[in-house]
Amino acid sequence: MSKEEEVEERVYTINLGKVTLAPDNRRAKRAVNMIRDFAVKHMKSEEVKIDEALNEILWSRGIRNPPRKIRVIISKDGSGVVTVKPYTQKEQIENK
């Protein structure tokens, strides 16, 4: 396999409790930035893409009340692009 085809994938639970320190009309925005910063720190890459489904989960209860924690799959391809997706039980069963 060449370096371009290698994909590194990890499952994380991200604590978003500090989102409540932001003003209530900016909390979902801060949650997105916290997930982005988490991915940069753990995957050592500056180029992070957040999946549309994960974004919908963060914004589902409005800007004022994002989830306190969220389980995600963070994957990094050979070119250094990091993708953050929501974790589902279905993917866990397929990997076994």
Side-chain angles (χ1 to χ4, degrees):
M1 250 164 60
S2 68
K3 186 159 178 89
E4 290 284 323
E5 296 173 9
E6 292 179 23
V7 175
E8 183 179 352
E9 218 174 61
R10 298 181 188 161
V11 177
Y12 291 102
T13 300
I14 304 174
N15 182 4
L16 299 173
K18 289 191 177 182
V19 164
T20 59
L21 298 176
D24 65 351
N25 62 344
R26 295 192 188 130
R27 288 182 180 165
K29 293 177 190 176
R30 180 167 180 172
V32 171
N33 289 333
M34 286 177 69
I35 291 172
R36 191 176 302 278
D37 293 342
F38 185 92
V40 167
K41 179 180 177 183
H42 288 273
M43 299 304 270
K44 311 287 192 267
S45 179
E46 291 295 319
E47 191 171 346
V48 176
K49 294 185 179 183
I50 295 179
D51 189 54
E52 193 174 317
L54 178 62
N55 193 47
E56 286 182 15
I57 292 170
L58 291 173
W59 288 85
S60 64
R61 299 190 297 190
I63 197 167
R64 296 172 190 261
N65 194 20
R68 302 244 338 152
K69 57 182 155 181
I70 192 159
R71 193 126 195 226
V72 295
I73 298 173
I74 302 179
S75 58
K76 180 179 179 183
D77 63 6
S79 59
V81 177
V82 175
T83 307
V84 185
K85 309 183 286 191
Y87 177 82
T88 60
Q89 293 293 341
K90 181 181 174 188
E91 291 171 2
Q92 180 187 17
I93 293 168
E94 289 175 2
N95 291 336
K96 288 188 177 180

